[in-house]
Amino acid sequence: MSRAKRIGVLTGGGDCPGLNAVIRGVVKAAVYKYDMDVLGFLDGYAGLLKDNFIRLDGDKVSGILPRGGTILGSSNRDNPFRVPEMENGELIFRDRSDEAIKTLERHGLDGLIVIGGDGSLAIASQLMGKGVMVIGVPKTIDNDLGSTDVTFGFDTALVTATEAVDKLHTTAESHHRIMVLEVMGRYAGWIALQSGLAGGGDIVLIPEIPFVIDRVIDAVRERTYRGRTFSIIVVAEGAIPAGGSAVVKQVVKESTDPVRLGGIGGWLANELEQRIEAEVRVTVLGHLQRGGSPTAFDRVLATRFGVAAGEAAVKEGWGIMVALRGTEIVNAPLGEAVSQLRRVDPNSELVMAARAVGTCFGD
């Protein structure tokens, strides 16, 4: 069977540090080693629908390894199976996936490498169901994709969040305040858990362990009783009060991920201020976690993922997602990888270690 000679690549969903490193890895492996042609579609799946692309070669990827973001642009609002349009004053959604597929056919592409999170890779899996040859690369700061131990982008976001915890410690101690840091992660608590553990957070609230507000208050009061004049609370945006639900900031109907979480930090601060005689301040870290130059770990992992994806295309290893298992890069079935979120196990050694050093989870 002849090997692939011409492939496409796109970056979908929210941006994160390391995307450019993956693109570079794909191009260098495909072009330099196998003399393949690589087209980069711009702004995620929108590039397929609009046939908007650039040719990727060594010059195009030169110097992009340490850069955050993506030279191809990205979008979390473009799903070829659900394209928003206005009809008679109403928002409707059309399936234009056949147009996207025709773009691939028009350029004679053997397959498509999709660098994205669960949403983008779920779309890739749908395209695969319509005959498109696809390879996935796991990208998300949330670290919530199945079939891989770690996603690139997570380590950089974790470093950013940990630095925020460190800096909040000094001002909290100076003013004897309760500092609430809200971090990203959607429905998985990896960023909150590990930044809280790394930064010495006193209370960590994650989606996987519903919290009771009275337990949080008890933990703060216990610290006061022991002579601690401040407290640091790290809360994941998807953290859930027992018997309640996650706080939703907004719903963007035309987005591939319409529910935008956010606001739990403010809600928590309001509850605390009503019941504890202490000043409470909230910091929402937000998109700072997505930006900046990737850490060395993310640069290396992203490069390995990119090279592995390029190699898989040459070997016609379609329908897979490259993944990290232990210290090795492996191929996992794409459908399996997007079938479930990878969330924190409340009984894991990581959670037990946090509890052992006195971290309160509000349960």
Side-chain angles (χ1 to χ4, degrees), residues 57 63 69 71 109 112 125 141 144 168 187 224 227 266 301-302 356 358:
D57 55 24
I71 62 170
L109 298 181
L112 178 69
S125 185
I141 67 168
D144 62 355
L168 287 175
Y187 304 103
T224 302
L301 180 59

Side-chain angles (χ1 to χ4, degrees), residues 97-168:
S97 57
D98 287 341
E99 297 176 41
I101 293 172
K102 286 180 180 178
T103 298
L104 298 173
E105 293 173 344
R106 186 161 49 249
H107 292 291
L109 298 181
D110 296 296
L112 178 69
I113 294 176
V114 176
I115 310 168
D118 61 333
S120 297
L121 294 185
I123 295 170
S125 185
Q126 285 182 277
L127 287 172
M128 188 174 69
K130 299 188 73 169
V132 177
M133 300 294 100
V134 176
I135 293 171
V137 179
K139 169 242 49 160
T140 170
I141 67 168
D142 304 328
N143 201 36
D144 62 355
L145 266 171
S147 299
T148 184
D149 291 345
V150 184
T151 59
F152 77 87
F154 169 66
D155 187 69
T156 306
L158 177 59
V159 169
T160 298
T162 301
E163 289 177 347
V165 176
D166 289 345
K167 291 179 178 180
L168 287 175

Side-chain angles (χ1 to χ4, degrees), residues 36-264:
M36 297 170 65
D37 291 329
V38 183
L39 300 187
F41 290 96
L42 304 181
D43 302 325
Y45 287 105
L48 289 183
L49 293 172
K50 299 175 182 178
D51 197 7
N52 196 6
F53 67 93
I54 60 174
R55 297 183 185 280
L56 293 172
D57 55 24
D59 290 338
K60 282 289 194 304
V61 300
S62 178
I64 69 173
L65 178 62
R67 286 171 55 183
T70 164
I71 62 170
L72 295 178
S74 192
S75 170
N76 56 11
R77 291 177 180 247
D78 295 285
N79 178 349
F81 292 91
R82 190 173 179 270
V83 180
E85 296 180 6
M86 295 300 296
E87 185 176 273
N88 298 323
E90 292 188 7
L91 180 66
I92 64 169
F93 297 92
R94 296 190 188 281
D95 182 348
R96 294 176 53 192
S97 57
D98 287 341
E99 297 176 41
I101 293 172
K102 286 180 180 178
T103 298
L104 298 173
E105 293 173 344
R106 186 161 49 249
H107 292 291
L109 298 181
D110 296 296
L112 178 69
I113 294 176
V114 176
I115 310 168
D118 61 333
S120 297
L121 294 185
I123 295 170
S125 185
Q126 285 182 277
L127 287 172
M128 188 174 69
K130 299 188 73 169
V132 177
M133 300 294 100
V134 176
I135 293 171
V137 179
K139 169 242 49 160
T140 170
I141 67 168
D142 304 328
N143 201 36
D144 62 355
L145 266 171
S147 299
T148 184
D149 291 345
V150 184
T151 59
F152 77 87
F154 169 66
D155 187 69
T156 306
L158 177 59
V159 169
T160 298
T162 301
E163 289 177 347
V165 176
D166 289 345
K167 291 179 178 180
L168 287 175
H169 259 104
T170 58
T171 183
E173 187 172 11
S174 297
H175 290 277
H176 314 306
R177 287 171 173 158
I178 299 171
M179 290 292 187
V180 178
L181 176 67
E182 180 181 319
V183 299
M184 287 181 167
R186 294 196 308 168
Y187 304 103
W190 296 106
I191 296 176
L193 172 59
Q194 294 196 36
S195 65
L197 186 56
D202 306 301
I203 300 165
V204 174
L205 306 178
I206 61 177
E208 295 86 350
I209 304 177
F211 67 90
V212 178
I213 189 66
D214 287 342
R215 302 283 171 79
V216 176
I217 292 172
D218 288 344
V220 173
R221 287 175 174 163
E222 172 65 19
R223 282 181 53 78
T224 302
Y225 177 76
R226 290 189 287 111
R228 306 295 188 265
T229 60
F230 69 96
S231 292
I232 302 292
I233 302 175
V234 182
V235 56
E237 62 183 354
I240 302 173
S245 58
V247 179
V248 177
K249 182 179 180 180
Q250 65 178 137
V251 176
V252 183
K253 292 182 179 180
E254 62 270 27
S255 174
T256 57
D257 183 20
V259 178
R260 305 289 172 83
L261 301 178
I264 184 66

